[in-house]
Amino acid sequence: YKQFDSERPFGVELEVSNTVPKDFLWEVVSDYSHRTALVSEWSQTHNNRYWHIKTDSTCGPMGKDDFGYEIASYKASGVGDMLHIAGIAGKLGANGVQVNDNCGLHVHADISDFTPSQVGVALACWCKCENFLFSCVPQRRYFSSYCNPLRRTRSLDHQRHYRAKEFWDLFCPLNLSVFENPERRVCLNVMNYATGLVRKKWTRKTLELRLPEGTLAPRQVRNWIRFFVHFVDTCKGKPMPENIASLDLAGSMNFLGLGHGDEFNIYSLGLHETRKWLLERCVDYSGGQWGDDARRMLDSISKPDFRPAETI
């Protein structure tokens, strides 16, 4: 039996269009959240207990230098915060806030408890599933310069058995600058973790998911959070894969902690929703074999007839 009961800290960045002013975003967040909100120009936040609404030069309707806004959540953890942040996204959308094709949804998961070798394992697991995961998002994300596939950024031997630390060394960024740094613009970004290894007072050792398109739909936001935090937790105790060759759909679901592998798992209603949600996205955004396989797997998943303690 598997349920999502992780207390791993996380944060969410909602990128939105410039159809409303920042002060309006502040009003909506302040009206519906139990946390305060701060408005500023762009700046980084560490361990913040508040929402941070800031200007973002990359997510306006016209792209680079046509500003939009980023709404960064407080440092969160657990199911309650996951649902609250998704609910605030929904309130923003219901009050006329919009996203555009240049917006993304970013989720940071705290990995300060990971060694570099464990991060190497997580990166290798991601690489094995990356083709499937890009089949679950709009095609524009594959071609976006802000969430490049990991496999496209390095010359890799997909059949080689890499050591975990060796794989970390391959992907550890050399450029740690905050602005205009292409090494940050990958679908799974390790920049904050790498910075924390160099700067001992750095308090933001996170792994950042940059794959998803911009959205304010509560179901999308909560499932991206649950998917990613669950993936990070799943990778924590995994051994290094034998190789980084791409997996099919069933193999990818296993590596993501949402399959059955060599055993049959009963999933709580929350993880059951995330499994179906991911497969549905594959059907919606992918044609050919990926979509066909996802549709067949969806047909084989029955609705749970139980209601465990964790239902979301």
Side-chain angles (χ1 to χ4, degrees):
Y1 175 70
K2 287 189 177 183
Q3 65 178 351
F4 180 76
D5 55 2
S6 176
E7 292 298 326
R8 182 175 297 280
F10 64 86
V12 180
E13 297 165 359
L14 305 167
E15 291 184 343
V16 301
S17 200
N18 57 12
T19 53
V20 298
K22 280 190 292 189
D23 287 347
F24 180 78
L25 300 176
W26 178 88
E27 289 178 8
V28 175
V29 172
S30 298
D31 284 347
Y32 292 103
S33 180
H34 57 276
R35 297 293 183 114
T36 58
L38 170 72
V39 176
S40 76
E41 294 304 310
W42 193 91
S43 65
Q44 288 189 318
T45 48
H46 293 247
N47 296 318
N48 50 304
R49 299 173 60 85
Y50 52 86
W51 293 87
H52 190 180
I53 301 163
K54 57 188 98 169
T55 303
D56 190 315
S57 66
T58 66
C59 60
M62 303 301 293
K64 178 65 177 171
D65 295 326
D66 176 31
F67 71 92
Y69 303 116
E70 176 186 306
I71 306 166
S73 78
Y74 54 91
K75 184 177 180 180
S77 66
V79 169
D81 282 339
M82 176 190 77
L83 294 176
H84 181 66
I85 291 169
I88 294 299
K91 293 297 185 183
L92 288 162
N95 280 273
V97 181
Q98 299 176 8
V99 299
N100 60 66
D101 286 354
N102 297 313
C103 294
L105 169 71
H106 302 165
V107 183
H108 288 260
D110 186 294
I111 55 168
S112 56
D113 57 328
F114 276 53
T115 65
S117 292
Q118 288 172 316
V119 179
V121 171
L123 292 170
C125 290
W126 178 273
C127 284
K128 292 185 73 67
C129 305
E130 190 171 63
N131 286 344
F132 165 61
L133 290 169
F134 269 96
S135 79
C136 299
V137 294
Q139 191 177 39
R140 66 179 181 272
R141 299 305 288 171
Y142 182 81
F143 295 104
S144 171
S145 60
Y146 293 95
C147 64
N148 288 297
L150 289 187
R151 296 163 72 95
R152 200 162 66 191
T153 64
R154 300 291 189 275
S155 179
L156 300 170
D157 182 345
H158 296 167
Q159 299 300 327
R160 179 181 166 187
H161 178 49
Y162 290 93
R163 299 187 308 275
K165 180 59 165 57
E166 177 186 18
F167 209 70
W168 161 252
D169 290 339
L170 275 173
F171 282 94
C172 180
L174 299 177
N175 180 0
L176 300 181
S177 63
V178 174
F179 297 104
E180 298 299 327
N181 184 348
E183 291 200 78
R184 290 180 174 273
R185 296 172 178 174
V186 289
C187 60
L188 193 63
N189 173 28
V190 298
M191 186 66 66
N192 282 328
Y193 181 83
T195 302
L197 296 180
V198 175
R199 304 174 188 169
K200 299 307 179 183
K201 293 185 178 181
W202 186 263
T203 60
R204 201 184 188 200
K205 292 175 74 172
T206 63
L207 187 62
E208 181 188 17
L209 175 70
R210 298 174 59 89
L211 173 67
E213 75 281 9
T215 180
L216 296 174
R219 183 172 185 256
Q220 299 300 323
V221 174
R222 72 172 178 265
N223 277 296
W224 277 120
I225 296 170
R226 185 161 45 208
F227 158 79
F228 188 53
V229 175
H230 180 68
F231 167 73
V232 171
D233 282 344
T234 298
C235 290
K236 178 73 187 293
K238 268 187 176 292
M240 185 66 182
E242 287 298 314
N243 57 56
I244 55 166
S246 291
L247 293 166
D248 62 10
L249 184 141
S252 295
M253 292 291 281
N254 289 338
F255 261 72
L256 295 169
L258 296 170
H260 290 299
D262 296 328
E263 60 185 10
F264 182 78
N265 297 307
I266 297 175
Y267 288 92
S268 68
L269 292 184
L271 285 176
H272 176 80
E273 180 192 52
T274 297
R275 294 179 75 216
K276 290 191 66 177
W277 159 84
L278 192 61
L279 294 169
E280 288 165 358
R281 288 185 63 96
C282 185
V283 171
D284 290 342
Y285 292 114
S286 176
Q289 193 65 48
W290 286 118
D292 292 342
D293 289 348
R295 191 174 291 106
R296 280 192 291 271
M297 187 173 288
L298 274 170
D299 290 341
S300 71
I301 296 177
S302 60
K303 183 177 180 180
D305 58 0
F306 61 91
R307 185 167 293 275
E310 186 264 339
T311 59
I312 56 319

